[in-house]
Amino acid sequence: FSDDPVTDDFWDELEESLILGDVGVDTTEELITELKRIMVERRITKRGELKAEFAGLLVSRLEAVPKMGAPLDLSAKPSVIIMIGVNGSGKTTTSGKLASQLKGEGKRVIMAAADTFRAAAIEQLKAWGGRAGVRVVAQAPESDPAAVVYDSIMAAKASGADVIIADTAGRLHTKSNLMEELSKIARVIKREIPEGPAEVLIVLDAVTGQNGFIQAETFAKAMPVTGVVLTKFDNTSKGGIVIAIADRLKMPIRYVGLGEGVDDLQLFEPKTFVETLLDVRDAE
Amino acid sequence: MFDSLKERFENIFANLRGKGKLTEEDINIALREVRRALLEADVNFKVVKDVVEAIRTRATGRQVVESVTPSQLIFTIVYEELVRIMGDAPVPLAVSPKPPTVYMMVGLQGSGKTTTSVKIARRMLKGHKPLVVACDLRRPAAVDQLRVLAEKAGVPFFGPEPGERDAVAVAKKSRAFAESRLCDLIILDTAGRLQLDDELMCELEEMKSASEPTEILLVVDSMTGQEAVNVADAFNKRLGLTGVVLTKLDGDARGGPALAVRAAAGVPIKLAGCGEKTEDLELFDARRMAQRIIGM
Ligand SMILES: Nc1nc2c(ncn2[C@@H]2O[C@H](COP(=O)(O)OP(=O)(O)OP(=O)(O)O)[C@@H](O)[C@H]2O)c(=O)[nH]1
Ligand SMILES: Nc1nc2c(ncn2[C@@H]2O[C@H](COP(=O)(O)OP(=O)(O)OP(=O)(O)O)[C@@H](O)[C@H]2O)c(=O)[nH]1
Ligand SMILES: [K+]
Ligand SMILES: [Mg+2]
Ligand SMILES: [Mg+2]
C-alpha cells in the first residue's frame, strides 16, 4: 500500500514492471539508480510517495525532448509527411487516420501510394483514401516510389493542396538497398521543396521489444526523423522502448494508435503513457 | 548496447584467467551477464529467471569450477539450455489422414499471417494441392493482398462474395470449393486481432469448430518484446495452438520471443519466415536460434 515503507520488494517489483513493459535492462537500471538517488536526497520513506516521484521523473524525461506529443508542423505549403518503418507496423493505417484527421481540420490533403512493392498496398491505401475522403496519387505496382512522391508534389502544387501524406513500403532497417530507397525519396522531395519533408514519422508497433531502438536509430540515418507514432497501443503492451528512443535519440513521440478505426489516433501524452506503463503489475 | 554474450564472457573471464578455480562469485557474475543478454534479446522476464536457474544448477558443477576454460563451458551450457527449451528437432506440419488438411493462421495485426499463408501453400505444392482462403474481411484490401500473392505463387485462391461479412461462413464455403478443385489442403488466413479482443477471439473459436483445423498456427513477429508470452498464452487458451511461425527473422532482432512463446504455449515453433517473398520460409532450427539469441 502507498503508506507502506520502501523495501527490497519495491525495487524488485519496479524492475520487473519496467522490464515487462519493454523499457530494457540498461534504461531500467539507470532509472532505478536515479530514483534511489532521489529517495536519499529527498528522504522519501513511503512507497506511494516514491512511486509518484518515479512517475514524475519519467514524465519529465519524456517532456525534456522537444516536440514530445506536439501536433505536426504543417506550416509549409505543401507540407510533406512521410511514414516509414518496419513491415506491418501500421504505416498505411496511420496514413489513413492522419489524412482523415487533417481533413477534418480543414486541410486539403493528398496521399501518395509510395508503397509500390507489397501486394495490394495501393488498394489498401485507396480504401483509406475513400474512408477519409482524400485523393490518392498512385502509379502501377512495382513502379519507382520516389516517382510517386514526385507526382504527388506536382499534384499538390497544381491543386493547391496543403498536405501530402506519403505511405512507404515496410522495410527492415538492416536492408541497405531499401534504406537507400528512402534516401532517394528524401532527395526528390528536397529538389521540389527545399526545406525537405515537413515531418518524417517512424511508425513503431507498441508490442516491439528492444529491436525498436535500433530501428529508430537506423531509420534516422536514412531520413531526418521528426517523430515516432506508437501504434497498437490499444493492446496490453506498454511500448516502453520509446523511453530509450526519446532519452537517447532525442526523438519525440508524437501520436499513439489506439485501434483500427479511422478515429483511433491521438496525440501522445507522456502522463497517460507513464501511468499505463507503471500499472503493469496491477493489470495482471 | 547489445554486446553479444560471447563478447561479455570474454571480458569477464579475461580478468579471471590464471586465477585458478572459479568461485561462486565468479559464476554469479557470469550469470548476471547471461541474464542481461537474454533480457536484451527480448526473452520474457519470467522465462529468463527459470533459464538462469537451470544454468546455475549446471554451472556450479565440479566440472565447470575446475575447468581451465570455464568461459567456454558456461557458454556451452547456456547454449544447450536454450536449445533444450526451444525443442531439439524440427517438427513438421501435420497432414490429416482424412483430407482435407486444414491450417488456420492466427495472430496479432501485422505479424505476417497473410504472407505466411502463401509461403506455406507454396512450400506444400510439392505433394499437395493447397488452397488459400481469405477469411480477413476486416482489413482494407486484405482479400486482394492474399489473392495477388496466391496468383504470383501459382496457388489456388478462394475469397468472399462481394458484401460477405461473415468470416466463418467463408471458411465453411471454402471446403466445397476445395473439393471441387481437388485441393487437399486448405489454409485459412484470418484477420489480425488483439488477444484481448473477446468478440474477435470468439470468431476464431467458431471458425475452429466449423472447420476442424489440423493445425492452428500462431504467427509471431520476431521483433516482439515481453508481450509475446501473453499473446501466446491467450491464443493458446482460447484455441489450443498446435504450432508457431516466427516471422521477419531476416532482420536483426535477437529472437527472444522464440523462447517465450515456446515456454508459454508449450507448442513447437515449426517454421521461420525470413523475407517478404513467398519463398522465404524455412524450417525452424532451434540451434541456429539459440546461436542468434546469444550472439554466437
Ligand atoms: N489494434 C490496432 N491495430 C492497428 C493499429 N494500427 C494498425 N493496425 C493494424 O495493424 C496491421 C498492419 O497495419 P498496416 O497499416 O497495414 O501496416 P504497414 O506498416 O502499412 O504494413 P506494411 O505496409 O506491410 O509494412 C493492420 O491489420 C492494421 O489494421 C492500431 O493502432 N491498433
Ligand atoms: N522482412 C520480412 N517481412 C515479412 C515477413 N513476413 C511478412 N512480412 C511483411 O510484414 C508485413 C505484414 O505481413 P502480412 O502478411 O500482411 O501480415 P498479417 O499478419 O497478415 O497482417 P494483418 O492481416 O494486417 O493482421 C508485410 O509487409 C509483409 O511483407 C518476413 O518473414 N520478413
Ligand atoms: K497499452
Ligand atoms: Mg503499408
Ligand atoms: Mg493479413
Side-chain angles (χ1 to χ4, degrees):
Chain A
F1 293 103
S2 66
D3 269 351
D4 286 356
V6 176
T7 57
D8 282 351
D9 280 355
F10 174 87
W11 299 107
D12 289 347
E13 283 167 24
L14 183 62
E15 184 198 33
E16 179 171 349
S17 68
L18 292 177
I19 288 179
L20 283 176
D22 291 315
V23 172
V25 209
D26 283 350
T27 308
T28 295
E29 284 177 0
E30 193 252 314
L31 287 169
I32 285 180
T33 306
E34 174 71 1
L35 185 63
K36 284 185 171 162
R37 196 187 57 75
I38 291 173
M39 180 181 74
V40 173
E41 193 181 279
R42 311 219 179 129
R43 304 211 175 107
I44 299 169
T45 55
K46 290 174 185 156
R47 293 174 79 103
E49 213 180 313
L50 195 55
K51 204 165 172 182
E53 196 65 48
F54 187 60
L57 166 71
L58 281 179
V59 171
S60 57
R61 285 250 181 142
L62 290 169
E63 285 177 344
V65 178
K67 288 197 177 178
M68 185 63 69
L72 302 177
D73 174 5
L74 303 173
S75 47
K77 190 169 167 173
S79 290
V80 183
I81 306 168
I82 309 179
M83 316 299 287
I84 59 176
V86 297
N87 306 83
S89 63
K91 296 170 291 298
T92 307
T93 306
T94 307
S95 300
K97 292 175 183 174
L98 255 187
S100 165
Q101 210 174 80
L102 294 175
K103 194 184 169 189
E105 289 167 15
K107 295 246 186 300
R108 276 172 299 172
V109 183
I110 288 181
M111 288 201 280
D115 178 357
T116 57
F117 178 74
R118 210 208 66 197
I122 298 170
E123 285 81 355
Q124 187 187 359
L125 193 71
K126 282 186 176 165
W128 276 104
R131 277 186 193 178
V134 158
R135 180 178 159 201
V136 176
V137 171
Q139 289 185 13
E142 322 270 315
S143 53
D144 177 8
V148 178
V149 173
Y150 176 84
D151 280 2
S152 71
I153 296 173
M154 292 302 117
K157 284 184 174 169
S159 66
D162 304 302
V163 182
I164 297 164
I165 302 173
D167 177 33
T168 66
R171 68 201 75 221
L172 297 179
H173 52 284
T174 47
K175 309 213 161 145
S176 52
N177 56 331
L178 298 180
M179 296 308 276
E180 171 51 31
E181 186 185 274
L182 287 182
S183 307
K184 184 179 167 193
I185 293 176
R187 286 197 296 275
V188 166
I189 294 170
K190 271 201 105 116
R191 228 181 296 146
E192 301 308 319
I193 304 170
E195 311 85 73
E199 299 277 0
V200 177
L201 300 175
I202 173 166
V203 180
L204 183 75
D205 188 331
V207 88
T208 313
Q210 300 309 295
N211 195 251
F213 183 85
I214 311 176
Q215 290 171 27
E217 193 177 38
T218 319
F219 272 104
K221 287 178 187 150
M223 270 199 177
V225 172
T226 60
V228 176
V229 180
L230 191 62
T231 59
K232 311 183 201 177
F233 201 60
D234 42 328
N235 204 2
T236 45
S237 44
K238 308 294 178 186
I241 192 62
V242 300
I243 294 176
I245 292 175
D247 213 36
R248 292 194 222 167
L249 302 175
K250 304 297 168 220
M251 229 180 249
I253 323 308
R254 307 291 284 277
Y255 284 93
V256 285
L258 292 162
E260 296 181 82
V262 69
D263 296 324
D264 296 326
L265 184 72
Q266 285 176 12
L267 285 175
F268 176 78
E269 286 173 22
K271 197 162 165 287
T272 315
F273 172 82
V274 168
E275 279 165 7
T276 318
L277 176 71
L278 297 182
D279 272 340
V280 171
R281 292 179 63 82
D282 309 344
E284 272 178 13
Chain B
M1 221 179 174
F2 308 129
D3 285 342
S4 76
L5 188 58
K6 189 150 214 162
E7 283 157 1
R8 292 157 201 256
F9 266 38
E10 273 156 14
N11 291 336
I12 308 171
F13 286 96
N15 302 327
L16 301 175
R17 212 165 278 149
K19 227 183 80 176
K21 284 185 184 181
L22 281 189
T23 65
E24 200 175 316
E25 181 53 22
D26 296 336
I27 290 174
N28 282 338
I29 292 171
L31 288 178
R32 272 205 290 279
E33 290 304 316
V34 172
R35 177 179 183 272
R36 283 187 84 83
L38 293 179
L39 287 173
E40 284 175 5
D42 291 319
V43 182
N44 182 267
F45 187 81
K46 288 162 188 150
V47 178
V48 169
K49 264 193 184 157
D50 295 343
V51 181
V52 169
E53 278 325 300
I55 296 167
R56 184 189 307 278
T57 309
R58 288 183 60 189
T60 43
R62 249 186 55 214
Q63 204 201 352
V64 175
V65 175
E66 294 180 355
S67 161
V68 283
T69 54
S71 145
Q72 190 55 43
L73 252 180
I74 297 185
F75 200 73
T76 306
I77 293 172
V78 175
Y79 170 73
E80 285 172 1
E81 278 301 311
L82 298 188
V83 173
R84 190 184 59 77
I85 295 169
M86 287 185 286
D88 262 322
V91 183
L93 291 173
V95 172
S96 170
K98 200 173 132 268
T101 295
V102 179
Y103 298 158
M104 204 168 126
M105 313 298 292
V106 302
L108 294 183
Q109 287 92 343
S111 59
K113 296 170 295 299
T114 305
T115 314
T116 308
S117 298
V118 181
K119 285 181 178 180
I120 291 178
R122 191 181 166 133
R123 189 185 184 84
M124 301 295 276
L125 276 172
K126 220 190 246 168
H128 293 274
K129 192 164 176 210
L131 173 74
V132 292
V133 182
C135 300
D136 178 358
L137 311 183
R138 296 178 65 244
R139 213 204 68 190
V143 175
D144 291 331
Q145 184 190 359
L146 187 70
R147 182 189 296 118
V148 170
L149 287 173
E151 263 166 28
K152 273 197 193 154
V155 171
F157 165 88
F158 180 77
E161 302 280 324
E164 172 71 79
R165 301 184 59 85
D166 182 355
V168 179
V170 177
K172 281 185 192 159
K173 284 180 194 159
S174 72
R175 220 174 169 96
F177 184 85
E179 224 165 273
S180 74
R181 301 292 161 102
L182 304 176
C183 294
D184 61 345
L185 169 63
I186 299 174
I187 301 174
L188 306 172
D189 176 30
T190 67
R193 64 203 74 213
L194 304 179
Q195 77 276 13
L196 43 82
D197 188 330
D198 192 53
E199 196 184 314
L200 288 181
M201 292 303 275
C202 281
E203 180 191 83
L204 289 182
E205 285 172 334
E206 282 174 39
M207 196 179 294
K208 177 185 175 181
S209 58
S211 48
E212 298 175 356
T214 323
E215 293 260 18
I216 301 180
L217 298 169
L218 179 71
V219 180
V220 180
D221 186 326
S222 59
M223 294 176 279
T224 309
Q226 297 286 319
E227 187 76 355
V229 161
N230 298 335
V231 174
D233 185 53
F235 273 93
N236 190 39
K237 283 204 175 109
R238 289 297 281 261
L239 298 167
L241 300 173
T242 61
V244 172
V245 183
L246 206 57
T247 61
K248 308 181 198 173
L249 279 164
D250 44 324
D252 60 357
R254 279 284 164 78
L259 279 176
V261 161
R262 180 71 211 239
V267 296
I269 301 164
K270 297 199 163 181
L271 297 161
C274 51
E276 291 189 73
K277 299 205 200 74
T278 52
E279 63 260 36
D280 298 331
L281 185 69
E282 293 172 5
L283 287 177
F284 178 75
D285 181 340
R287 286 164 199 282
R288 261 174 50 202
M289 199 66 221
Q291 290 170 8
R292 179 179 179 129
I293 290 172
I294 53 181
M296 268 163 88

